[in-house]
Amino acid sequence: KFQRALLETQFQVEKKRIASAAKTTTSSSEKEIENTITTLSDYLIENKVEEELMDVLLATGEACSQISKELRLLPLMEQIKEESINIQGEEQKSMDIIANYIFLTCVKSKVAACASEEVDSVLYNHEEDRGYEIAFDPLDGSSNLDV
């Protein structure tokens, strides 16, 4: 359900962006779009998701949204060739590094620990008492980006 809500939210945000870019003058159409949007936070509140879990999910959603924005700029970033090898011995592209940074920045204060495919150790949050841990691959399938 979470993935579906996240995808729907991203779709609705993109739909709003496109509608805004087109500068439609039909205010009733814009109101219709706004009335049909269910944001991730609305969905979580509506389903009475516990507050700390909601913080983790919203931070994850924000990370995904920011990574999505960066991916749109990928053709412009092709000149950046910052590549290395990750802990699995796979080639780590510059977008892997950027996505990992974004994901960690968004979620690290919301969880007790983070485990990323791009980092060889678990990152612990010793500053705050949190009940959730998260493991992630910030950009699964990045080897397909230049296809």
Side-chain angles (χ1 to χ4, degrees), residues 95-114:
M95 195 61 215
D96 288 312
I97 296 164
I98 293 167
N100 191 63
Y101 174 79
I102 290 169
F103 212 102
L104 285 173
T105 301
C106 287
V107 301
K108 68 182 175 186
S109 68
K110 307 295 182 189
V111 295
C114 299

Side-chain angles (χ1 to χ4, degrees), residues 40-120:
L40 178 57
S41 59
D42 290 341
Y43 177 84
L44 296 173
I45 291 168
E46 198 174 288
N47 288 281
K48 297 175 177 61
V49 173
E50 183 253 333
E51 187 175 345
E52 188 175 358
L53 177 58
M54 187 179 340
D55 287 345
V56 174
L57 295 173
L58 289 173
T60 301
E62 177 60 27
C64 293
S65 177
Q66 287 183 29
I67 291 168
S68 174
K69 289 175 188 173
E70 291 296 324
L71 283 170
R72 288 187 200 122
L73 299 174
L74 192 60
L76 302 174
M77 293 173 39
E78 284 180 355
Q79 297 171 354
I80 303 171
K81 295 293 182 188
E82 186 179 329
E83 295 181 355
S84 59
I85 304 297
N86 71 9
I87 61 171
Q88 281 76 31
E90 302 165 336
E91 184 179 305
Q92 190 179 39
K93 299 185 179 280
S94 57
M95 195 61 215
D96 288 312
I97 296 164
I98 293 167
N100 191 63
Y101 174 79
I102 290 169
F103 212 102
L104 285 173
T105 301
C106 287
V107 301
K108 68 182 175 186
S109 68
K110 307 295 182 189
V111 295
C114 299
S116 170
E117 183 190 33
E118 306 301 330
V119 180
D120 62 354

